[in-house]
Amino acid sequence: MTDDSSTAFAPLDARAVAQAGATAEPDRISVRDHMVEVEIGAFQSERDTTQRLSFSVVVEVASSDGAQTDDVDDILSYDTITEAIEAELAAERLNLLETLAERVADRILSEPQPLRVFVRIEKLDRGPGKLGVEIVRIRGAATPQRDPDMVPALRVIFLENDAISDPGLPLFLDRLGADPRAFVLCVGPADAAVPEVEDHAAQRHIDLLAIEQNAWRLSSIDARCVVVGTRTELDWGMKNNQISVWAPAKLVLDAVDGPDDATPQNLARWFAAVMGADAFVTAGRGHSGLADLP
């Protein structure tokens, strides 16, 4: 832990000793030991279950007239801190505390008053003690947000299995490659029996893996179809004229508010909505043929 972090989270008397003779520091507001219960973690044992997290956040703020005006609008509200935590927990399921801490800090620093933020997050249920991370971030060092203007219009295309085996697939992919729009292909499971089990969580994993197996089958048919599963990979593919094939497991399992209907086509429609696609179309089995798309 850095000296700055030790001072930020220390009791006031310890802080006074540490700062004796130093120049005045900015005012600080804090939320300590803010506890939430959430699903988070990279281990399989941490999926489909919740655990307690404790947040302690200290924010150094620029001078304001709040103390003189006694007006809540002139200060940084404590709600800004707790709402930043809630917003990032609601955005998606995360594997790492480091990622969560970074996003909470970035969100707080997007407000006008903060100069520096200290974030400590601890897992309370993963061992006999507390497991956690601490970060310090300064205004101007926050992660830049994605510029939506740099991302071309997206069309999501669901390919039925007869479309995957269509002899016209190479010509179809030629057209996609020459089109300035971005394309992501979605598939369902192959025409083969998928194992069925009674456990709902296990069945969900099995069904998603069956779809990913078929995505890799499409990739083996034509190497221009690149299987991707993360938002970062998808964004890169959209910006670089790559024909991506969605492997759904990560985005679906990490979603805080995932799809209610996990049938393949509805899963693809949910994905299109999450990605902000301009269009969603289906090819094969009573829908448009490849020659009629995009």
Side-chain angles (χ1 to χ4, degrees):
M1 185 190 304
T2 66
D3 290 341
D4 274 354
S5 292
S6 300
T7 302
F9 293 112
L12 283 175
D13 54 348
R15 186 184 304 167
V17 172
Q19 296 176 358
T23 57
E25 292 199 355
D27 292 342
R28 288 168 168 164
I29 70 165
S30 64
V31 171
R32 310 291 182 97
D33 303 321
H34 177 74
M35 192 180 301
V36 297
E37 193 165 326
V38 66
E39 182 183 336
I40 190 170
F43 291 95
Q44 191 61 41
S45 60
E46 295 178 288
R47 288 193 175 273
D48 301 318
T49 188
T50 59
Q51 58 184 298
R52 293 176 301 155
L53 298 184
S54 175
F55 291 79
S56 290
V57 180
V58 178
V59 185
E60 292 182 346
V61 294
S63 299
S64 72
D65 296 328
Q68 288 73 38
T69 63
D70 198 34
D71 188 339
V72 70
D73 290 336
D74 291 334
I75 54 96
L76 180 71
S77 170
Y78 304 109
D79 290 341
T80 300
I81 298 175
T82 57
E83 288 170 2
I85 294 169
E86 292 168 3
E88 294 306 331
L89 289 175
E92 65 174 317
R93 184 199 181 282
L94 296 175
N95 290 326
L96 302 178
L97 292 184
E98 289 85 350
T99 305
L100 178 57
E102 192 78 44
R103 293 184 180 182
V104 169
D106 284 353
R107 185 175 287 270
I108 293 171
L109 287 170
S110 69
E111 297 292 326
Q113 301 99 329
L115 302 173
R116 184 165 63 159
V117 60
F118 304 77
V119 180
R120 172 192 288 170
I121 309 177
E122 296 170 311
K123 291 184 178 182
L124 305 181
D125 301 323
R126 288 295 292 173
K130 299 176 181 179
L131 309 178
V133 300
E134 292 180 4
I135 67 170
V136 183
R137 295 295 181 266
I138 301 172
R139 172 174 294 284
T143 303
Q145 299 297 310
R146 184 175 68 142
D147 182 359
D149 294 334
M150 295 180 62
V151 180
L154 171 65
R155 171 169 284 203
V156 173
I157 303 174
F158 184 86
L159 297 182
E160 298 282 6
N161 286 323
D162 59 334
I164 295 175
S165 58
D166 191 318
L169 180 66
L171 291 177
F172 169 69
L173 296 176
D174 286 344
R175 296 203 306 278
L176 296 191
D179 196 304
R181 292 174 293 181
F183 296 92
V184 176
L185 306 180
C186 296
V187 300
D191 292 326
V194 176
E196 295 185 6
V197 297
E198 292 184 1
D199 183 87
H200 174 73
Q203 188 65 57
R204 190 183 190 203
H205 283 269
I206 290 170
D207 292 341
L208 291 171
L209 287 172
I211 293 174
E212 296 201 353
Q213 287 178 327
N214 208 22
W216 283 105
R217 181 172 76 95
L218 174 56
S219 177
S220 72
I221 293 172
D222 195 303
R224 289 175 291 179
C225 299
V226 180
V227 179
V228 295
T230 68
R231 186 65 183 256
T232 299
E233 291 174 306
L234 287 161
D235 282 351
W236 188 92
M238 290 167 60
K239 296 174 184 176
N240 290 276
N241 199 36
Q242 174 180 281
I243 302 172
S244 299
V245 185
W246 181 44
K250 179 170 175 55
L251 286 185
V252 173
L253 294 175
D254 287 356
V256 174
D257 186 15
D260 294 326
D261 185 345
T263 54
Q265 275 214 31
N266 285 325
L267 202 62
R269 291 181 185 278
W270 171 84
F271 168 75
V274 167
M275 295 296 294
D278 292 347
F280 174 86
V281 295
T282 299
R285 288 187 183 168
H287 300 277
S288 301
L290 293 180
D292 302 320
L293 295 178

